[in-house]
């Protein structure tokens, strides 16, 4: 064991303990009595059910995260990464193939070990609380499609970045940054068109009262809307949602069929007004460039570490390599990643408040409040999260805070 190895282990353990503390604070912050502000969202019975749902998920997450911690520590203390490295070197000497095989093996075994947890969460917890609509066939097909996509897209990007490293040397991080940035923008523009249909059916919102109301609203705010879709989310879950994606002419708004089934026309237009607010205030564009900036910082820092034999030795590996350096750097980079994640969440929560205010200003704040209350109730949301947990993990403000803002601003 060397100093770098101990630093990596310390980072992993501190990360686990900090998350455990936040989960504990969140759990202790649950109120047995229905808060006064929550009346009209939950009745006593459903409020208790929402608390049982949160506690069940929290306990299960602790088990799965502890399992992941133990597995990672076993790989570190018993030279598991060195074993995979030696296995890869027995089959090929190509740096690109070694990188693909190394991360492919780790991803495959990690995914296989995660399947029992995913099955339990879907078919036991979600089923118990009435959310699950996924069949075993759909679950298996999703897994297969996900693995194929990860192999094609993730493997392709990894091979390209490895080739840049071998070819460009010092400037590899700049070229990789440019390539990843182009890919990120492409995915923002075409994700809903190319990836979503592989898992769900997207259909244009049919003519009728809802479409007429939405088109009427869009006309009043000068929002050119051509792509308004309904997603058949009910084949997997009863939970409802909506989202905005794309840039420029490729912008799209997607409403879950479960959202349409449970909300009035006014509530649905208010939800759409919120999504239009994100577009009008360029939140999607800001988020894209924010992600690109974070990627650039990460790649620059990575370039400073590459080629240092200490990284390989910290993982018990004899020979330094591009993929081992990436893995070791990823473990060391975790604290910076968490800080960036917190900053991203702060910006995201601010954007949500702004989009809420836009919906209130251009349509109807009361209708949006009603929609948010229904969403929280239908999804059994935790209404009393601990402020520290919100600060670290929440990309959206807690419901009661959103309602207060809508009421007072």
């Amino acid at each position: 064991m060397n100093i770098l190895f101990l630093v990596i282990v310390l980072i992993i353990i501190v990360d686990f303990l900090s998350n455990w503390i936040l989960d504990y604070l969140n759990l202790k912050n649950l109120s047995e009595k229905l808060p006064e502000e929550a009346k009209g969202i939950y009745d006593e019975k459903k409020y208790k059910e929402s608390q049982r749902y949160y506690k069940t998920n929290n306990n299960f997450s602790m088990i799965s995260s502890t399992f992941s911690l133990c597995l990672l520590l076993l790989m570190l203390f018993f030279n598991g990464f060195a074993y995979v490295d030696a296995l890869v070197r027995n089959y090929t000497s190509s740096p690109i193939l070694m990188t693909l095989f190394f991360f492919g093996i780790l991803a495959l075994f990690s995914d296989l070990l995660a399947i029992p947890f995913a099955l339990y969460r879907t078919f036991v917890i979600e089923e118990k609380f009435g959310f699950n609509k996924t069949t075993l066939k759909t679950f298996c097909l999703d897994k297969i499609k996900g693995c194929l996509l990860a192999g094609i897209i993730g493997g392709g990007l990894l091979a390209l970045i490895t080739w840049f490293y071998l070819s460009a040397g010092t400037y590899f991080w700049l070229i990789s940054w440019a390539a990843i940035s182009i890919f990120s923008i492409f995915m923002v523009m075409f994700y809903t068109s190319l990836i979503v249909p592989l898992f769900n059916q997207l259909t244009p919102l049919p003519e009728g009262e809802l479409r007429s109301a939405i088109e009427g609203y869009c006309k009043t705010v000068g929002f050119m809307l051509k792509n308004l879709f309904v997603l058949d989310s009910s084949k997997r879950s009863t939970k409802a949602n909506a989202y905005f994606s794309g840039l420029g002419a490729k912008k799209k708004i997607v409403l879950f069929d479960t959202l349409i089934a449970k909300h009035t026309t006014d509530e649905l237009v208010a939800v759409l007004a919120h999504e239009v607010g994100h577009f009008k205030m360029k939140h999607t564009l800001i988020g894209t460039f924010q992600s690109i900036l974070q990627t650039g910082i990460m790649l620059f820092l990575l370039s400073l570490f590459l080629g240092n034999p200490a990284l390989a030795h910290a993982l018990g590996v004899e020979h330094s390599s591009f993929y081992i350096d990436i893995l070791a750097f990823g473990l060391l980079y975790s604290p910076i990643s968490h800080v960036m994640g917190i900053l991203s969440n702060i910006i995201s929560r601010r954007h949500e408040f702004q989009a809420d205010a836009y919906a209130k200003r251009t349509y109807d704040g009361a209708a949006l409040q009603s929609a948010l209350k229904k969403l929280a109730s239908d999804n059994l949301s935790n209404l009393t999260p601990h402020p520290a947990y919100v600060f670290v993990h929440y990309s959206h403000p807690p419901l009661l805070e959103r309602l207060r803002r809508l009421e007072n601003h």
Side-chain angles (χ1 to χ4, degrees), residues 99-109 158:
T99 300
L100 292 176
F101 289 166
F102 181 82
F103 284 112
I105 291 169
L106 292 181
L108 177 62
F109 278 95
L158 190 57

Side-chain angles (χ1 to χ4, degrees), residues 240-278:
N241 207 345
Y243 70 89
F244 177 91
S245 72
L247 299 169
K250 297 298 180 183
K251 61 182 180 289
K252 294 178 177 64
I253 289 178
V254 177
L255 303 173
F256 286 24
D257 59 357
T258 47
L259 185 78
I260 294 173
K262 298 175 181 178
H263 291 74
T264 66
T265 297
D266 273 347
E267 289 167 350
L268 290 167
V269 177
V271 170
L272 181 129
H274 171 95
E275 299 302 332
V276 171
H278 282 308

Side-chain angles (χ1 to χ4, degrees), residues 32 91 93 96 105 108 178 184 195 197 246 257 290 354 358 383 394 405:
E32 290 295 328
Y91 286 94
S93 59
I96 293 177
I105 291 169
L108 177 62
S184 298
I195 305 300
D257 59 357
Q290 179 184 312
Q354 290 172 354
Y358 181 88
L383 298 184
Y394 272 41
R405 289 283 190 105

